[in-house]
Amino acid sequence: MTQHERQPGLSACFRHPERDTGIHCTRCERPICPDCMIDAAVGYQCPECVRQGAAEQAATQPRTIAGGRLRTDTRLVTLCLIGVNLAVFVGLKASEYLGGGEFGLIRDFAMLGYAWAPGSPELMGVATGEWYRLLTSAFMHQAIFHIAFNMFALWFLGPNLEAALGRGRFLALYLISALAGSTASFALAAQNQFSLGASGAVFGLFGALAVLLRKLRYDMRPVLVLLAVNLVITFLPGLNIAWQAHLGGLVAGAAIAYGMVHAPRRNRTAYQVGVCVLVLLVLVGVCVARTLQLT
């Protein structure tokens, strides 16, 4: 028997022509050899049909209003963010207790625009290239009431947004809102003033929830009242609250959420990524312009 002769009743595997087989894919009916056989609910399928079936199943899988995957646990990212904030808070207090000085970490990682380092002739701050402060400051809290208020707000707002947007989109919303809050402080606040806290990110969640409720045509009054109360508190004299961070986060969060929930179904993910990148580019532009102005 030559290499190209087939045994009676057998066919050549469509992926390995040199192999005889009597098995066919139950989906496309092409002959497949043992190396190409993949167990299916009925019979066997070829690798191409398995991949195609997985893609079709993913395309028909129920999605959130923003295109994220539906999850049974809609609090995972929220809990992780709360955990990180609490861990940093404990670290700050432990550093203070052990004699390292809580202010040392705040000096090195809190939001600061441009100022002389304490007891040193060197300049420090975002304008000197310490851009990491824009994000690290959003996970730092100094007072118990400060972190308690922010974490309560995050727990109140986070799970609903995480469920509506999906985990990845919610995390992007939170982090970019935090960056926007720090950027607004850099652009508008006194440059030698330290600021810290997750308030910018939290206000971003407020803005996002308002956009989401508007899209779903839900009653917005409870959220608007709560947002108004927080804005009033923000501007009360004597509390030393960084209102710039609150407004920056609020605007960025609303803009990102609007882009996410109003994205066209076709190429939705690419559109949403584009919105996030656009907001980030605006933030970078503001930081660069402010740096050039200061230096």
Side-chain angles (χ1 to χ4, degrees):
M1 182 177 64
T2 65
Q3 182 179 4
H4 299 287
E5 291 179 343
R6 302 265 78 83
Q7 295 183 18
L10 299 181
S11 303
C13 173
F14 83 99
R15 298 179 77 235
H16 303 98
E18 72 281 1
R19 301 180 185 177
D20 290 345
T21 181
I23 306 298
H24 291 73
C25 173
T26 56
R27 184 166 181 170
C28 67
E29 298 186 353
R30 289 181 292 189
I32 48 177
C33 68
D35 289 342
C36 299
M37 294 161 44
I38 299 177
D39 288 332
V42 177
Y44 301 95
Q45 291 186 9
C46 65
E48 282 79 359
C49 286
V50 170
R51 284 194 292 269
Q52 182 180 356
E56 292 174 354
Q57 183 178 4
T60 57
Q61 184 179 14
R63 295 278 177 171
T64 68
I65 187 174
R69 292 184 179 181
L70 291 176
R71 307 280 188 175
T72 55
D73 183 1
T74 62
R75 302 173 297 176
L76 178 63
V77 176
T78 301
L79 288 172
C80 288
L81 290 171
I82 292 175
V84 171
N85 278 278
L86 292 176
V88 173
F89 179 74
V90 171
L92 286 174
K93 294 304 178 183
S95 177
E96 181 183 17
Y97 178 77
L98 295 174
E102 182 183 37
F103 181 72
L105 295 176
I106 292 176
R107 178 196 61 204
D108 293 336
F109 295 102
M111 181 59 208
L112 181 71
Y114 192 58
W116 296 105
S120 170
E122 297 181 358
L123 288 164
M124 59 189 297
V126 176
T128 66
E130 297 174 345
W131 284 45
Y132 56 85
R133 292 177 179 272
L134 296 168
L135 187 59
T136 56
S137 61
F139 290 92
M140 303 177 72
H141 298 81
Q142 198 170 14
I144 293 179
F145 76 88
H146 189 199
I147 190 170
F149 176 83
N150 280 337
M151 294 306 99
F152 175 78
L154 177 54
W155 178 249
F156 174 75
L157 299 167
N160 292 318
L161 287 167
E162 188 175 338
L165 301 179
R167 290 174 179 172
R169 291 167 177 82
F170 172 69
L171 181 60
L173 167 70
Y174 184 91
L175 294 178
I176 298 176
S177 296
L179 288 172
S182 297
T183 300
S185 291
F186 182 39
L188 302 174
Q191 297 306 305
N192 61 349
Q193 176 181 323
F194 285 103
S195 63
L196 62 162
S199 301
V202 168
F203 268 77
L205 301 186
F206 270 117
L209 186 59
V211 170
L212 178 64
L213 294 179
R214 174 71 175 177
K215 171 68 175 179
L216 297 175
R217 301 184 183 278
Y218 288 173
D219 186 4
M220 298 176 58
R221 286 175 293 182
V223 172
L224 292 179
V225 169
L226 187 59
L227 177 58
V229 170
N230 279 274
L231 287 174
V232 169
I233 295 174
T234 297
F235 290 100
L236 286 178
L239 295 181
N240 198 28
I241 294 176
W243 60 266
Q244 300 90 343
H246 291 191
L247 292 185
L250 178 66
V251 172
I256 293 169
Y258 187 90
M260 286 185 175
V261 302
H262 289 88
R265 186 175 297 273
R266 184 177 181 183
N267 298 323
R268 177 163 49 190
T269 301
Y271 184 92
Q272 293 167 338
V273 171
V275 170
C276 292
V277 170
L278 179 60
V279 173
L280 286 173
L281 288 176
V282 171
L283 299 180
V284 170
V286 171
C287 288
V288 169
R290 187 58 166 155
T291 298
L292 293 175
Q293 183 184 35
L294 294 172
T295 58

